[in-house]
């Protein structure tokens, strides 16, 4: 019997790691909401970009602090970057899930990651193959304004069309999040990137 997805993911991303991931995502929501107010009539566009940049920056910081390997990947068009965190033969990417189904929209780079996932309960999966540990897991998040309200691990099928496993993660309280500061140099870079995105959108 192969090791369950729950145990594999716990071995790869333990409780301390999960706590820090939750804190990073919660901080991203809080600070993107607060900083968006500085963009006036462009606050809505700004908040979306700010959340994206805060998520990547804070997860990179968390990965470094926890001593986890990571790299910065690109989509097929090469115009969008994302962080990919590695642990125990698992690769985790992070995605916003705004009111869609249980998975983010199709993308070539997502399928290229998830093709290695195995369905342990598929009769066509050989016993030797099913003993292999590891795969691709999404860290999916959603929320409103400054509040993160949805956070889970989801393992997609190899074609990225269905779900093999999903598990909710604890969300940090607003009191916990407000007690944590973000370095000013990180915030300065995020503001500059957001201003650039908005300018490009208007040109």
């Amino acid at each position: 019997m192969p090791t369950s997805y729950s145990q594999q993911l716990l071995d790869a991303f333990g409780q301390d790691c999960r706590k820090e991931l939750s804190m990073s995502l919660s901080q991203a929501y809080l600070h993107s909401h607060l900083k968006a107010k500085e963009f006036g009539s462009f606050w809505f566009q700004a908040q979306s970009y700010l959340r994206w940049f805060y998520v990547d920056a804070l997860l990179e910081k968390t990965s470094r602090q926890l001593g986890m390997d990571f790299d910065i990947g690109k989509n097929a068009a090469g115009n969008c970057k994302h962080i990919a965190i590695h642990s125990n033969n698992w690769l985790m990417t992070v995605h916003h899930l705004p009111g869609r189904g249980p998975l983010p929209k199709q993308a070539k780079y997502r399928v290229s990651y998830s093709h290695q996932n195995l369905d342990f309960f598929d009769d066509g999966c050989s016993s030797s193959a099913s003993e292999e540990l590891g795969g691709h897991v999404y860290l999916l998040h959603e929320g409103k304004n400054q509040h993160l309200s949805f956070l889970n691990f989801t393992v997609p099928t190899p074609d990225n069309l269905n779900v093999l496993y999903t598990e909710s993660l604890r969300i940090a309280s607003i009191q916990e999040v407000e007690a944590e500061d973000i370095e000013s140099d990180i915030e300065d870079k995020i503001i500059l990137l957001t201003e650039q995105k908005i300018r490009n959108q208007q040109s």
Side-chain angles (χ1 to χ4, degrees), residues 95-115:
H95 308 278
H96 183 226
L97 198 68
R100 296 193 188 96
L103 290 169
K105 66 181 181 180
Q106 285 285 73
K108 288 182 180 178
Y109 82 91
R110 293 188 183 114
V111 175
S112 70
Y113 285 146
S114 62
H115 80 276

Side-chain angles (χ1 to χ4, degrees), residues 2 118-120 122-132:
L118 297 171
D119 185 349
F120 291 155
D122 182 352
D123 291 338
C125 183
S126 70
S127 59
S128 61
S130 66
E131 292 299 331
E132 296 178 13

Side-chain angles (χ1 to χ4, degrees), residues 141-162:
H141 61 92
E142 170 59 318
K144 185 176 181 181
N145 295 328
Q146 71 266 41
H147 299 293
L148 174 67
S149 60
F150 173 91
L151 184 65
N152 73 18
F153 282 144
T154 292
V155 179
T157 54
D159 57 10
N160 196 47
L161 293 175
N162 293 293

Side-chain angles (χ1 to χ4, degrees), residues 8 25 36 64 71 105 130 132 137-140 154 199:
Q8 284 193 54
L25 271 292
R64 292 184 190 278
D71 54 57
K105 66 181 181 180
S130 66
E132 296 178 13
V137 60
Y138 293 141
L139 181 62
L140 301 177
T154 292
R199 281 197 302 270

Side-chain angles (χ1 to χ4, degrees), residues 62-77:
T62 292
S63 299
R64 292 184 190 278
Q65 289 176 337
L66 295 174
M68 302 176 76
D69 292 330
F70 68 92
D71 54 57
I72 306 300
K74 292 184 178 181
N75 63 356

Side-chain angles (χ1 to χ4, degrees), residues 75-93:
N75 63 356
N79 59 6
C80 181
K81 297 181 180 180
H82 59 273
I83 187 169
I85 300 173
H86 304 262
S87 182
N88 277 32
N89 296 321
W90 279 92
L91 180 146
M92 180 182 73
T93 56

